[in-house]
Amino acid sequence: PEILAEGNDITLVTYGSCVREAQKGIDMLKGFDISVELIDAQTLMPFDLEGVIVDSLRKTNRLLIMDEDIPGGASAYILREILEKWDGYKYLDTKPVTLTAASHRTPFGSDGDYFTKPCGEDLFDCVMKMIILNNFKMTRTVFLLVLALVFLFSGCQNKPKNDVVELKESQTADTQIDTLVKDVSYILAANYFVKNTVNQLDNPKIE
């Protein structure tokens, strides 16, 4: 494989005619300060004998495979080589993504390739979705951790500060359990809301 463009945000593996389309998409992403490391696989058999792609994953931690074949074609073979042979999954912070041709025959006419094969605009949309969703999920995790710490801290603040802690009649064990259940419910409700928001972004409804 040959590294055609160096980047730090995502590793893009492709070959053949998709290289030119990938370069178009990378030029558009530069305007959003997203750097893509473009790797031309060049050959599938043999495939990456020196581990160039895995070395790139150690730096970017994201993997995108762009292929003009149908879903599950050459992109599946490339994924297998990277994840199973080179153990590339160890360096991923998010799931790998494949950008392939549509699952139908290429229609005739001048617009056939545009509506079937992946192009620069498709690459731009795919990378933006990967970056934004990954950052959103990381923000969700941090938000839930902070929320849990706030509830725990507030619970500690409500405890008596005397050296000898006495259990008041009004503060029975049942009341303490109810307070704990209430705090946990708030955390679960926040997690449910954020999780549903992520699912809506992953699978938007088209009306």
Side-chain angles (χ1 to χ4, degrees):
E2 180 183 0
I3 299 178
L4 301 179
E6 295 186 356
N8 299 315
D9 294 323
I10 187 171
T11 298
L12 172 61
V13 180
T14 187
Y15 65 96
S17 61
C18 284
V19 172
R20 184 173 299 176
E21 294 297 328
Q23 291 172 335
K24 295 178 182 178
I26 291 175
D27 290 338
M28 291 187 287
L29 290 167
K30 289 180 180 178
F32 292 84
D33 198 25
I34 297 177
S35 61
V36 179
E37 183 144 296
L38 175 60
I39 300 179
D40 182 5
Q42 294 187 344
T43 62
L44 297 180
M45 298 184 69
F47 180 82
D48 195 7
L49 299 178
E50 300 176 353
V52 175
I53 298 174
V54 173
D55 291 338
S56 175
L57 290 181
R58 290 190 179 98
K59 176 175 59 175
T60 64
N61 306 119
R62 296 185 183 96
L63 174 62
L64 172 61
I65 297 175
M66 185 177 181
D67 177 29
E68 65 177 352
D69 197 1
I70 61 174
S75 58
Y77 172 78
I78 294 174
L79 267 180
R80 176 187 174 277
E81 291 291 308
I82 297 174
L83 301 183
E84 294 186 11
K85 181 179 179 180
W86 288 99
D87 293 334
Y89 65 91
K90 297 179 180 179
Y91 311 106
L92 294 178
D93 289 339
T94 183
K95 66 178 181 181
V97 177
T98 59
L99 178 60
T100 64
S103 55
H104 58 72
R105 293 181 179 180
T106 304
F108 293 100
S110 58
D111 295 334
D113 285 345
Y114 179 81
F115 290 103
T116 303
K117 305 296 179 68
C119 60
E121 291 84 356
D122 297 328
L123 174 64
F124 175 84
D125 294 339
C126 187
V127 172
M128 291 296 290
K129 183 178 179 180
M130 289 179 65
I131 298 294
I132 293 174
L133 284 181
N134 185 56
N135 292 341
F136 187 83
K137 291 176 181 178
M138 292 178 62
T139 304
R140 178 190 66 175
T141 303
V142 174
F143 169 76
L144 293 177
L145 288 175
V146 171
L147 188 63
L149 291 175
V150 168
F151 282 125
L152 292 175
F153 182 76
S154 62
C156 294
Q157 289 293 98
N158 293 330
K159 292 182 179 179
K161 297 184 179 179
N162 299 332
D163 294 334
V164 179
V165 179
E166 297 180 355
L167 184 63
K168 298 181 180 180
E169 295 181 358
S170 60
Q171 187 69 14
T172 61
D174 292 337
T175 305
Q176 292 178 348
I177 293 176
D178 291 340
T179 303
L180 179 61
V181 171
K182 185 178 181 181
D183 292 345
V184 172
S185 299
Y186 285 148
I187 296 176
L188 293 177
N191 182 43
Y192 178 79
F193 172 76
V194 178
K195 185 176 181 180
N196 281 349
T197 304
V198 172
N199 290 335
Q200 290 177 4
L201 291 174
D202 282 331
N203 304 299
K205 294 182 179 179
I206 301 177
E207 298 180 353

